[in-house]
Amino acid sequence: MTSRQDISLNFIETFVISSVTAVAARTLITPVDRCKILITHQAQFLKDGLISRPYKGFIDCMIQTYKYRGIRPLYQGNLAICIRHFPIHALNFAFKNEIKRMFKQNSNDSYSKIFLENFVSGSIAGALSVCILYSLDNARQHVYKDIRTGKIRREKGQLYRIMNAYKNILATDGIGGLYRDFLIVCVHDVIYRGCYFGFYDTLKPILLGQNPSFFLSFILGYSVTLVSHLVSYPVDTVRRRMRWDKIRSSRQYTSHVNCLFQIIRNEHISSLFRGANTWIIRSIPSAGFLAGFDLFAKIYLNIKDSRS
């Protein structure tokens, strides 16, 4: 059924609260991502004399980095990551709440009807968010490619690089260049966001009641995020395979559907889920978005009620 926050929060309020939640969740997990990078490149760090011994794991890496270099290296690049990630999550939550409100759920609805409405709300929200932000992500990837190949200097401002990327893509490929591979990404987000919001919004009142603790909401959110990634992962595998196939001298796949069936026929269906175990760690921020949004929304509504 529709929760109090879904009814009481308008689009702008939902957007702002989910933005704050996204920034907070990403900031909390950034040291883990940084340690992953540091551990990956520790051989070069040893060679350059930046560290005296190999790291024993994530915790040791975090302790040694903080001890000898302070907290700043653990949050290097956090601002850019937050700026990149918060719009997609803010739009997803804001659109989902607006669409969900149109269904006018009540306590007499069956669980299957509630889940279907929550799934559809999440799916449409995911599709709308991708439509709005996909060209920006495409332009950003174009910028990274130009920096690696030396076509543009890193010293140029971020806004200049993005605008230059838009201009170059439009000049060479037209509007279609900004939305290349859009369909497969949209399909992935429709499935993922449908499951993400569908399972969480349906299971939360059933399993946790109306006022669960942050910890219980986080556990449910984590479980839902893992399942959602698992369900949508084959689509992401096909997307990545097709992207690599396009830069090969001889094309192996003729379409996304052909790629899917070739993987199943030639490699086994389990190949579609290869690498999915990485989401055991990567699901933590997404679980934090769900639980954190509920927490911040509750605090905001209590403050709002006390002033009215």
Side-chain angles (χ1 to χ4, degrees), residues 91-106:
L91 287 174
N92 272 307
F93 276 86
F95 280 134
K96 185 267 296 184
N97 275 4
E98 291 300 309
I99 297 165
K100 185 177 176 180
R101 191 178 289 118
M102 297 177 186
F103 288 113
K104 299 178 181 178
Q105 295 176 356
N106 60 70

PDB file of all heavy atoms in Angstrom, residues 91-106:
ATOM      1  N   LEU A  91      16.127  11.404  -9.415  1.00  0.00           N
ATOM      2  CA  LEU A  91      15.040  11.325 -10.402  1.00  0.00           C
ATOM      3  C   LEU A  91      14.250  10.028 -10.265  1.00  0.00           C
ATOM      4  O   LEU A  91      13.023  10.025 -10.384  1.00  0.00           O
ATOM      5  CB  LEU A  91      15.612  11.443 -11.813  1.00  0.00           C
ATOM      6  CG  LEU A  91      16.087  12.836 -12.235  1.00  0.00           C
ATOM      7  CD1 LEU A  91      16.757  12.779 -13.599  1.00  0.00           C
ATOM      8  CD2 LEU A  91      14.924  13.822 -12.260  1.00  0.00           C
ATOM      9  N   ASN A  92      14.948   8.923 -10.012  1.00  0.00           N
ATOM     10  CA  ASN A  92      14.263   7.635  -9.844  1.00  0.00           C
ATOM     11  C   ASN A  92      13.268   7.683  -8.687  1.00  0.00           C
ATOM     12  O   ASN A  92      12.115   7.269  -8.834  1.00  0.00           O
ATOM     13  CB  ASN A  92      15.285   6.519  -9.619  1.00  0.00           C
ATOM     14  CG  ASN A  92      15.774   5.912 -10.906  1.00  0.00           C
ATOM     15  OD1 ASN A  92      14.986   5.484 -11.741  1.00  0.00           O
ATOM     16  ND2 ASN A  92      17.076   5.865 -11.095  1.00  0.00           N
ATOM     17  N   PHE A  93      13.708   8.173  -7.543  1.00  0.00           N
ATOM     18  CA  PHE A  93      12.818   8.243  -6.379  1.00  0.00           C
ATOM     19  C   PHE A  93      11.673   9.228  -6.616  1.00  0.00           C
ATOM     20  O   PHE A  93      10.517   8.946  -6.267  1.00  0.00           O
ATOM     21  CB  PHE A  93      13.611   8.657  -5.137  1.00  0.00           C
ATOM     22  CG  PHE A  93      14.299   7.523  -4.443  1.00  0.00           C
ATOM     23  CD1 PHE A  93      15.559   7.098  -4.842  1.00  0.00           C
ATOM     24  CD2 PHE A  93      13.689   6.864  -3.390  1.00  0.00           C
ATOM     25  CE1 PHE A  93      16.191   6.052  -4.210  1.00  0.00           C
ATOM     26  CE2 PHE A  93      14.323   5.810  -2.737  1.00  0.00           C
ATOM     27  CZ  PHE A  93      15.579   5.396  -3.159  1.00  0.00           C
ATOM     28  N   ALA A  94      11.988  10.388  -7.203  1.00  0.00           N
ATOM     29  CA  ALA A  94      10.958  11.408  -7.408  1.00  0.00           C
ATOM     30  C   ALA A  94       9.898  10.944  -8.405  1.00  0.00           C
ATOM     31  O   ALA A  94       8.693  11.075  -8.164  1.00  0.00           O
ATOM     32  CB  ALA A  94      11.610  12.710  -7.883  1.00  0.00           C
ATOM     33  N   PHE A  95      10.339  10.383  -9.538  1.00  0.00           N
ATOM     34  CA  PHE A  95       9.397   9.885 -10.535  1.00  0.00           C
ATOM     35  C   PHE A  95       8.577   8.718  -9.978  1.00  0.00           C
ATOM     36  O   PHE A  95       7.371   8.624 -10.214  1.00  0.00           O
ATOM     37  CB  PHE A  95      10.137   9.440 -11.788  1.00  0.00           C
ATOM     38  CG  PHE A  95      10.539  10.551 -12.710  1.00  0.00           C
ATOM     39  CD1 PHE A  95      11.816  10.599 -13.258  1.00  0.00           C
ATOM     40  CD2 PHE A  95       9.650  11.561 -13.038  1.00  0.00           C
ATOM     41  CE1 PHE A  95      12.196  11.630 -14.109  1.00  0.00           C
ATOM     42  CE2 PHE A  95      10.017  12.600 -13.887  1.00  0.00           C
ATOM     43  CZ  PHE A  95      11.299  12.631 -14.418  1.00  0.00           C
ATOM     44  N   LYS A  96       9.243   7.836  -9.255  1.00  0.00           N
ATOM     45  CA  LYS A  96       8.549   6.657  -8.715  1.00  0.00           C
ATOM     46  C   LYS A  96       7.413   7.059  -7.786  1.00  0.00           C
ATOM     47  O   LYS A  96       6.292   6.524  -7.879  1.00  0.00           O
ATOM     48  CB  LYS A  96       9.556   5.762  -7.978  1.00  0.00           C
ATOM     49  CG  LYS A  96       8.979   4.444  -7.481  1.00  0.00           C
ATOM     50  CD  LYS A  96       8.466   4.492  -6.040  1.00  0.00           C
ATOM     51  CE  LYS A  96       9.567   4.764  -5.055  1.00  0.00           C
ATOM     52  NZ  LYS A  96       9.055   4.701  -3.646  1.00  0.00           N
ATOM     53  N   ASN A  97       7.663   8.005  -6.901  1.00  0.00           N
ATOM     54  CA  ASN A  97       6.623   8.438  -5.976  1.00  0.00           C
ATOM     55  C   ASN A  97       5.449   9.096  -6.697  1.00  0.00           C
ATOM     56  O   ASN A  97       4.290   8.885  -6.337  1.00  0.00           O
ATOM     57  CB  ASN A  97       7.206   9.407  -4.943  1.00  0.00           C
ATOM     58  CG  ASN A  97       7.832   8.679  -3.769  1.00  0.00           C
ATOM     59  OD1 ASN A  97       7.904   7.454  -3.763  1.00  0.00           O
ATOM     60  ND2 ASN A  97       8.294   9.425  -2.786  1.00  0.00           N
ATOM     61  N   GLU A  98       5.746   9.904  -7.733  1.00  0.00           N
ATOM     62  CA  GLU A  98       4.677  10.564  -8.480  1.00  0.00           C
ATOM     63  C   GLU A  98       3.823   9.548  -9.241  1.00  0.00           C
ATOM     64  O   GLU A  98       2.604   9.641  -9.279  1.00  0.00           O
ATOM     65  CB  GLU A  98       5.272  11.588  -9.457  1.00  0.00           C
ATOM     66  CG  GLU A  98       5.888  12.799  -8.789  1.00  0.00           C
ATOM     67  CD  GLU A  98       4.889  13.568  -7.955  1.00  0.00           C
ATOM     68  OE1 GLU A  98       3.805  13.905  -8.464  1.00  0.00           O
ATOM     69  OE2 GLU A  98       5.192  13.818  -6.764  1.00  0.00           O
ATOM     70  N   ILE A  99       4.481   8.572  -9.868  1.00  0.00           N
ATOM     71  CA  ILE A  99       3.753   7.552 -10.631  1.00  0.00           C
ATOM     72  C   ILE A  99       2.963   6.638  -9.691  1.00  0.00           C
ATOM     73  O   ILE A  99       1.803   6.300  -9.960  1.00  0.00           O
ATOM     74  CB  ILE A  99       4.740   6.718 -11.483  1.00  0.00           C
ATOM     75  CG1 ILE A  99       5.422   7.618 -12.515  1.00  0.00           C
ATOM     76  CG2 ILE A  99       4.021   5.572 -12.183  1.00  0.00           C
ATOM     77  CD1 ILE A  99       6.646   7.009 -13.151  1.00  0.00           C
ATOM     78  N   LYS A 100       3.588   6.281  -8.579  1.00  0.00           N
ATOM     79  CA  LYS A 100       2.926   5.409  -7.605  1.00  0.00           C
ATOM     80  C   LYS A 100       1.672   6.062  -7.040  1.00  0.00           C
ATOM     81  O   LYS A 100       0.662   5.391  -6.790  1.00  0.00           O
ATOM     82  CB  LYS A 100       3.918   5.074  -6.482  1.00  0.00           C
ATOM     83  CG  LYS A 100       3.396   4.077  -5.459  1.00  0.00           C
ATOM     84  CD  LYS A 100       4.478   3.766  -4.447  1.00  0.00           C
ATOM     85  CE  LYS A 100       3.969   2.849  -3.357  1.00  0.00           C
ATOM     86  NZ  LYS A 100       5.028   2.551  -2.354  1.00  0.00           N
ATOM     87  N   ARG A 101       1.717   7.379  -6.856  1.00  0.00           N
ATOM     88  CA  ARG A 101       0.560   8.096  -6.319  1.00  0.00           C
ATOM     89  C   ARG A 101      -0.642   8.007  -7.258  1.00  0.00           C
ATOM     90  O   ARG A 101      -1.798   8.028  -6.807  1.00  0.00           O
ATOM     91  CB  ARG A 101       0.940   9.561  -6.080  1.00  0.00           C
ATOM     92  CG  ARG A 101      -0.081  10.353  -5.283  1.00  0.00           C
ATOM     93  CD  ARG A 101       0.371  11.782  -5.027  1.00  0.00           C
ATOM     94  NE  ARG A 101       1.467  11.815  -4.063  1.00  0.00           N
ATOM     95  CZ  ARG A 101       2.683  12.279  -4.328  1.00  0.00           C
ATOM     96  NH1 ARG A 101       2.982  12.725  -5.529  1.00  0.00           N
ATOM     97  NH2 ARG A 101       3.610  12.294  -3.396  1.00  0.00           N
ATOM     98  N   MET A 102      -0.394   7.866  -8.548  1.00  0.00           N
ATOM     99  CA  MET A 102      -1.489   7.770  -9.531  1.00  0.00           C
ATOM    100  C   MET A 102      -2.305   6.487  -9.370  1.00  0.00           C
ATOM    101  O   MET A 102      -3.488   6.445  -9.718  1.00  0.00           O
ATOM    102  CB  MET A 102      -0.918   7.832 -10.950  1.00  0.00           C
ATOM    103  CG  MET A 102      -0.227   9.125 -11.305  1.00  0.00           C
ATOM    104  SD  MET A 102       0.473   9.059 -12.973  1.00  0.00           S
ATOM    105  CE  MET A 102       1.356  10.620 -13.035  1.00  0.00           C
ATOM    106  N   PHE A 103      -1.682   5.425  -8.832  1.00  0.00           N
ATOM    107  CA  PHE A 103      -2.390   4.145  -8.685  1.00  0.00           C
ATOM    108  C   PHE A 103      -3.363   4.142  -7.516  1.00  0.00           C
ATOM    109  O   PHE A 103      -4.267   3.299  -7.456  1.00  0.00           O
ATOM    110  CB  PHE A 103      -1.385   3.006  -8.514  1.00  0.00           C
ATOM    111  CG  PHE A 103      -0.626   2.669  -9.771  1.00  0.00           C
ATOM    112  CD1 PHE A 103       0.736   2.902  -9.863  1.00  0.00           C
ATOM    113  CD2 PHE A 103      -1.275   2.113 -10.856  1.00  0.00           C
ATOM    114  CE1 PHE A 103       1.435   2.583 -11.017  1.00  0.00           C
ATOM    115  CE2 PHE A 103      -0.586   1.797 -12.017  1.00  0.00           C
ATOM    116  CZ  PHE A 103       0.780   2.036 -12.098  1.00  0.00           C
ATOM    117  N   LYS A 104      -3.164   5.066  -6.559  1.00  0.00           N
ATOM    118  CA  LYS A 104      -4.076   5.190  -5.416  1.00  0.00           C
ATOM    119  C   LYS A 104      -4.282   3.846  -4.713  1.00  0.00           C
ATOM    120  O   LYS A 104      -5.397   3.333  -4.596  1.00  0.00           O
ATOM    121  CB  LYS A 104      -5.428   5.757  -5.869  1.00  0.00           C
ATOM    122  CG  LYS A 104      -5.316   7.150  -6.483  1.00  0.00           C
ATOM    123  CD  LYS A 104      -6.666   7.666  -6.966  1.00  0.00           C
ATOM    124  CE  LYS A 104      -6.524   9.049  -7.601  1.00  0.00           C
ATOM    125  NZ  LYS A 104      -7.815   9.555  -8.131  1.00  0.00           N
ATOM    126  N   GLN A 105      -3.191   3.275  -4.241  1.00  0.00           N
ATOM    127  CA  GLN A 105      -3.250   1.981  -3.553  1.00  0.00           C
ATOM    128  C   GLN A 105      -3.986   2.113  -2.224  1.00  0.00           C
ATOM    129  O   GLN A 105      -3.967   3.160  -1.585  1.00  0.00           O
ATOM    130  CB  GLN A 105      -1.829   1.457  -3.306  1.00  0.00           C
ATOM    131  CG  GLN A 105      -1.060   1.140  -4.573  1.00  0.00           C
ATOM    132  CD  GLN A 105       0.369   0.706  -4.280  1.00  0.00           C
ATOM    133  OE1 GLN A 105       0.815   0.707  -3.144  1.00  0.00           O
ATOM    134  NE2 GLN A 105       1.097   0.330  -5.326  1.00  0.00           N
ATOM    135  N   ASN A 106      -4.651   1.038  -1.820  1.00  0.00           N
ATOM    136  CA  ASN A 106      -5.303   1.006  -0.515  1.00  0.00           C
ATOM    137  C   ASN A 106      -5.107  -0.366   0.123  1.00  0.00           C
ATOM    138  O   ASN A 106      -4.616  -1.303  -0.501  1.00  0.00           O
ATOM    139  CB  ASN A 106      -6.792   1.349  -0.638  1.00  0.00           C
ATOM    140  CG  ASN A 106      -7.537   0.371  -1.540  1.00  0.00           C
ATOM    141  OD1 ASN A 106      -7.731  -0.793  -1.181  1.00  0.00           O
ATOM    142  ND2 ASN A 106      -7.937   0.831  -2.729  1.00  0.00           N
TER     143      ASN A 106
END
